[in-house]
Amino acid sequence: LQFLYFIGTSVRKKMKEQLSEAASPKSVDGMATDSLITWSLPVAPNDPKKTRKLRQKCGAPLEDIPKPQVSDVLARFIEKREWVDASGTAWVQEASPEPASRLDAVILEENLDKKLRTSGAYPTGICPTRRQHFQECFSEVIRQITAESVERGILLHKVREEREATIRGYEELLESRAGYAFRIALKGEKDHFRVRTRIQELKALKAELLEEEERLKAEEQRARQEGEEMLKEEDKRRREELGMLGKESHLKKTQLEAITVLPRK
């Protein structure tokens, strides 16, 4: 038991040392080093001397063992990285065709957890940052499987493409439904604005009609008063005329009687 404990402790210690070495990979100027994908050493196509110098610095052989089938399959879903350093040298880096070990899977998991913590990705819900990290991790898993079996790698790549197509379909459906809901909400807002505008117009028209009603009522009242006064004056004038006519009639009647009365003999 003590021997097994010693062996387990040694293995864990060695794994931690290799993890720390993997956390600080050698790089050249302008090269991104925070990727979860395992890359081959970069190559300067226009400057073979710099390529040899970098490989000697990293302790790698001057030339890799060619694996055209694996490299061609990896190039389908992992794009090569290209950049220019400060001296103007163009560098190209492709995904590594080398198979992975169990330790590489442990390192990948550690790096994924670290990136999720440092990037502030949400542990649940919809999070583009978390999705991007897991997509990159999935690409590395496909790379590891492709390096061991090209057929399994191609099949797993098809599974991922189908999954991505399904997600894109759901996203398009969500965007279309969201757009439809937005258009409905916008139309409702426009209708609400039009109704409010119409209400304000009707209120203004109501106020104008009330003012017109008050004005007409005042004119009616004034016309009624003027009519009553005119009727009173006309009645008074006619009464006066009748009185004068009555007096005149009585006077003429008296005169007529005086004329027509025969004198006594």
Side-chain angles (χ1 to χ4, degrees):
L1 292 176
Q2 291 180 355
F3 177 74
L4 293 176
Y5 176 77
F6 175 75
I7 293 297
T9 305
S10 301
V11 171
R12 285 195 297 269
K13 183 177 180 181
K14 185 177 181 180
M15 290 178 64
K16 288 183 179 179
E17 292 176 355
Q18 293 184 5
L19 283 172
S20 62
E21 292 178 359
S24 57
K26 296 181 177 66
S27 62
V28 297
D29 182 26
M31 175 179 130
T33 59
D34 59 344
S35 176
L36 295 176
I37 300 174
T38 303
W39 301 88
S40 300
L41 287 174
V43 177
N46 300 327
D47 196 342
K49 292 183 179 180
K50 286 190 176 182
T51 302
R52 288 196 298 270
K53 183 177 179 181
L54 176 64
R55 299 184 74 87
Q56 290 175 356
K57 180 180 178 181
C58 296
L62 296 180
E63 293 183 1
D64 291 330
I65 300 175
K67 297 181 179 180
Q69 187 178 8
V70 177
S71 299
D72 292 342
V73 173
L74 292 178
R76 295 181 187 179
F77 62 92
I78 300 179
E79 295 183 359
K80 60 183 179 181
R81 300 196 295 188
E82 298 178 352
W83 72 94
V84 179
D85 61 12
S87 62
T89 303
W91 293 86
V92 178
Q93 190 176 29
E94 297 181 350
S96 174
E98 298 299 326
S101 62
R102 296 179 63 183
L103 180 60
D104 293 326
V106 175
I107 293 173
L108 177 61
E109 183 180 5
E110 291 288 336
N111 291 336
L112 175 61
D113 294 339
K114 181 180 178 181
K115 290 193 73 172
L116 290 174
R117 288 193 304 269
T118 56
S119 63
Y122 296 111
T124 58
I126 299 176
C127 179
T129 303
R130 188 180 76 250
R131 178 182 176 184
Q132 180 181 359
H133 292 336
F134 273 97
Q135 285 179 340
E136 190 176 23
C137 179
F138 201 2
S139 297
E140 171 60 15
V141 172
I142 298 177
R143 186 205 67 79
Q144 295 179 6
I145 294 176
T146 304
E148 296 179 359
S149 173
V150 175
E151 291 76 12
R152 290 201 301 267
I154 294 175
L155 181 60
L156 188 57
H157 176 56
K158 289 182 178 179
V159 172
R160 185 178 71 166
E161 285 186 336
E162 177 62 25
R163 173 179 172 273
E164 293 296 326
T166 303
I167 293 176
R168 285 194 298 270
Y170 281 123
E171 288 177 347
E172 292 175 359
L173 179 61
L174 177 62
E175 290 176 358
S176 64
R177 299 303 298 175
Y180 176 75
F182 177 75
R183 289 192 297 270
I184 292 298
L186 183 60
K187 182 178 180 301
E189 184 66 23
K190 289 182 178 179
D191 293 342
H192 183 62
F193 177 76
R194 184 168 60 253
V195 170
R196 285 187 299 176
T197 304
R198 182 57 178 168
I199 290 175
Q200 296 297 329
E201 293 176 354
L202 292 176
K203 286 183 177 180
L205 180 60
K206 177 183 176 182
E208 294 178 0
L209 292 176
L210 289 175
E211 292 179 358
E212 183 70 15
E213 181 184 9
E214 294 296 329
R215 185 180 64 79
L216 293 175
K217 285 182 178 181
E219 291 181 357
E220 179 189 7
Q221 184 68 21
R222 184 172 58 255
R224 183 182 292 111
Q225 292 177 355
E226 291 178 354
E228 291 177 354
E229 291 177 358
M230 290 177 63
L231 289 174
K232 289 180 179 180
E233 291 179 358
E234 184 68 18
D235 184 64
K236 182 180 179 181
R237 184 178 63 79
R238 288 183 179 182
R239 288 178 182 275
E240 291 177 353
E241 288 180 354
L242 288 174
M244 293 177 63
L245 290 173
K247 291 180 180 180
E248 184 177 355
S249 174
H250 180 70
L251 179 61
K252 288 184 177 182
K253 182 179 180 181
T254 304
Q255 292 177 353
L256 181 59
E257 290 177 351
I259 295 172
T260 57
V261 172
L262 293 175
R264 292 180 180 179
K265 291 183 178 181

